[in-house]
Amino acid sequence: MTNDQTDLPRPKIGLALGSGVARGWAHLGVLKALERYGFRPDIVAGTSIGALVGGAYLAGHADTLEQWARSLTMVRMLSYLDFRVRSGGMIGGSRLVDAMVEHMGRIDIEDLPAPYAAVATDLVSGHEVWLREGDLATAIRTSFSMPGIFEPMRVNGRWMVDGALVNPVPISVCIAMGAQMTIAVNLNADLLGKGRRNAPDLSALGTLDPLSAEEAGSNGGGRARLTTLARRMLRRTQETPSLFGVMVSALNIVQDRISRSRLAGDPPDIHITPRLGDVGLLEFHRADEIIEEGEAAVERVLPELRAAMAVFGRDLDSMGEGA
């Protein structure tokens, strides 16, 4: 019998990527940093934008997604949103799906190299749904169907919306799928960040809106030409936020409270919490700094990562070796 740590089996690692709208670009930084230390997830579960990044990662397109994210401007992001008047949501979402397919191609979840689940919510029963087979782009689109913002998706005869309503950080999914060690990335631990804690009134919610009051009212002038409907949704004043901003903020308050409860019941072995409180939930154009903070968040938990691996008789230097 040998004392060589590399003779011991590597624990099956489950990675739970949480919801958080634009803050989800931090997942890209987290994945890059984890790989530097030899951590390769055997199971990936994602909710909302966590489903997007996790799916792209397993499909081998994380670098492509990162390049696209870093290229985004606010105006370019708005060009992917097909605003419309429908009972189910303000945005159709077909342009985003087309963009996903363009960058990642069509791939079925069953063909991914590791088990994957996108978390969604049954709109009728309220049940948590794990999408583990079928078209990857459809599963991702279903998982980020924010109620009132995006139209719900009908999958297997069921109307579904954003999984953040029931399981914002899907640790329990990883455990159920066989993970022996869980790493969770919670994007909302700093929800009421430094930039908002001392806000005197609701005008602070303006930072949740994708455009300034002047931009939302603009018809052109070098900026994206928005429909009258879109401008009404995005328009805010110095005193009040927009309809769009209020709905996104409300959903994130709900998921923050749910996250606290679910994390208490299913605590991860490693809890990664990027410091993103000063990042607006719709500020997709800030990818550079968000991704950098994702990497920094992993560096801050290195002692915990080392301690967790010691339980399995491994160290960080040996994580890239063995099965």
Side-chain angles (χ1 to χ4, degrees):
M1 195 168 174
T2 178
N3 291 324
D4 187 353
Q5 289 186 328
T6 59
D7 289 341
L8 298 174
R10 185 175 70 83
K12 186 176 289 187
I13 298 172
L15 182 63
L17 300 177
S19 57
V21 202
R23 295 174 182 174
W25 296 147
H27 291 318
L28 292 166
V30 167
L31 285 163
K32 289 171 66 175
L34 287 176
E35 283 213 332
R36 279 203 301 270
Y37 291 103
F39 282 85
R40 301 182 186 90
D42 302 285
I43 296 164
V44 176
T47 299
S48 200
I49 194 160
L52 168 61
V53 177
Y57 172 76
L58 288 181
H61 295 293
D63 289 342
T64 302
L65 180 61
E66 180 178 341
Q67 291 172 7
W68 180 74
R70 291 182 185 274
S71 74
L72 284 177
T73 62
M74 189 54 75
V75 170
R76 186 178 180 191
M77 184 64 203
L78 285 170
S79 72
Y80 289 105
L81 305 181
D82 41 348
F83 289 94
R84 60 190 66 185
V85 179
R86 291 193 178 179
S87 58
M90 300 177 183
I91 300 170
S94 59
R95 291 180 190 170
L96 284 171
V97 173
D98 290 344
M100 281 190 284
V101 173
E102 178 185 349
H103 288 89
M104 296 193 299
R106 284 286 182 186
I107 184 170
D108 288 334
I109 295 173
E110 299 92 320
D111 295 329
L112 294 174
Y116 166 86
V119 179
T121 304
D122 187 307
L123 186 59
V124 176
S125 68
H127 291 166
E128 182 177 332
V129 180
W130 302 348
L131 301 172
R132 299 182 58 185
E133 58 185 21
D135 181 62
L136 176 62
T138 299
I140 292 169
R141 167 65 179 84
T142 303
S143 187
F144 69 62
S145 297
M146 291 185 290
I149 304 294
F150 287 98
E151 293 177 3
M153 294 285 286
R154 191 166 181 82
V155 180
N156 299 326
R158 305 166 73 179
W159 285 107
M160 298 189 199
V161 292
D162 201 314
L165 291 176
V166 289
N167 200 349
V169 189
I171 303 160
S172 59
V173 182
C174 291
I175 295 172
M177 292 170 68
Q180 298 169 302
M181 173 181 170
T182 55
I183 300 175
V185 187
N186 179 8
L187 304 176
N188 297 299
D190 194 22
L191 182 65
L192 299 178
K194 293 179 292 184
R196 297 180 178 81
R197 287 191 180 112
N198 298 319
D201 53 39
L202 281 176
S203 62
L205 283 176
T207 56
L208 298 175
D209 297 319
L211 292 181
S212 69
E214 294 75 19
E215 290 169 330
S218 173
N219 284 313
R223 300 191 182 279
R225 294 182 179 275
L226 301 176
T227 65
T228 300
L229 174 63
R231 289 199 304 273
R232 287 176 179 172
M233 292 175 184
L234 302 174
R235 181 178 291 127
R236 62 179 172 88
T237 68
Q238 297 300 319
E239 293 76 30
T240 59
S242 73
L243 171 62
F244 198 89
V246 168
M247 294 184 73
V248 172
S249 179
L251 176 63
N252 277 275
I253 290 170
V254 169
Q255 73 178 8
D256 173 61
R257 299 305 184 263
I258 296 172
S259 295
R260 294 170 189 263
S261 176
R262 296 297 298 253
L263 286 164
D266 291 305
D269 295 298
I270 304 297
H271 190 189
I272 300 174
T273 57
R275 296 168 182 168
L276 300 167
D278 60 344
V279 175
L281 298 170
L282 299 176
E283 294 179 331
F284 289 95
H285 59 291
R286 296 176 63 182
D288 289 348
E289 60 190 288
I290 296 172
I291 293 170
E292 182 179 347
E293 172 54 25
E295 295 188 65
V298 173
E299 298 291 335
R300 290 194 293 269
V301 299
L302 279 181
E304 288 85 353
L305 283 168
R306 295 183 187 280
M309 294 316 303
V311 172
F312 293 95
R314 306 279 293 200
D315 58 40
L316 290 182
D317 294 333
S318 68
M319 279 301 295
E321 307 169 12

